[in-house]
Amino acid sequence: MSCPENDTELNRDAVVPKGAAFFSLETSKPARHFAFHLLPDFTLLAFSAALDPLRIANQLAQLPLYRWTVTSEDGGPVVSSCAMSVNVDRRMGPVSRETDLIVCGGTVRTGKRNRELLSLVRQHARFGGRVGGICTGAIALAQAGLLTGRRATLHWENQPAFREMFPEVEVTENSCEVDGTIFTCGGGVGATDMMLERIEADYGRSFADVVADMCLHTQRRSDQAPQRTSISNALDSRNPFLVRAIKVMQVNIETPVTMDELADA
């Protein structure tokens, strides 16, 4: 897929800050490029948790390992779910096949679908590009038909409604999921988990571990790690009957079960 001549992904330099920590890394790989598309009310924590590991990787290696471009629907600033406004580099548009295109969601807005965005991610995937979703960004990927028959995840709060809307998607409660060229995460520090997996795949476990240390992400989680603290830890109880009852109530929040049904379970 060709890129417009004024596409900022072609001329924006990688950010390589100076730092005290250093990791000797030899590579001839070209810088991997990420295009982050911010939806209105996106989660600032999840976006920064995905972006900063890339900056830290460049800083540690003192090499331009990763580049990024940030886009919005019209090229203007985007207001996050915490009401902070973030400037972007350009309006959304086609990117090269080698670019990882990531939709950053947050608070879900009801209303009509963004047809231009859905067409963009659909076309990028069709040409072999990697497409990702952060927090509720998976909704846009599902609307574009990219998650049919695939594993995906999004923030646990939005999973019940998502399952009803897209029964053809295998939704997991894992921190992040990679299924072929499609990758998703539940948001929050799950975005860091997802990027550390990418960095490890590119440059090895040792380097990714040092990036994690720089993030103070002292316990790296695999993509199979659950999004929520285990129920037994949260309740400070390992009573199997109590834990089972809580699980039944959690998966039936929208249509609560009766006390008799809960007792039977």
Side-chain angles (χ1 to χ4, degrees), residues 20-43:
F22 175 73
F23 190 101
S24 180
L25 191 67
E26 294 184 6
T27 180
S28 58
K29 294 181 182 179
R32 181 182 292 278
H33 181 250
F34 291 86
F36 294 93
H37 179 74
L38 306 184
L39 297 177
D41 295 322
F42 73 98
T43 304

Side-chain angles (χ1 to χ4, degrees), residues 173-202:
E173 296 185 2
N174 295 335
S175 172
C176 54
E177 281 288 350
V178 180
D179 190 335
T181 58
I182 306 295
F183 55 100
T184 51
C185 73
V189 295
T192 299
D193 294 326
M194 185 172 71
M195 286 307 186
L196 290 173
E197 291 288 325
R198 181 70 264 166
I199 292 169
E200 179 177 340
D202 288 341

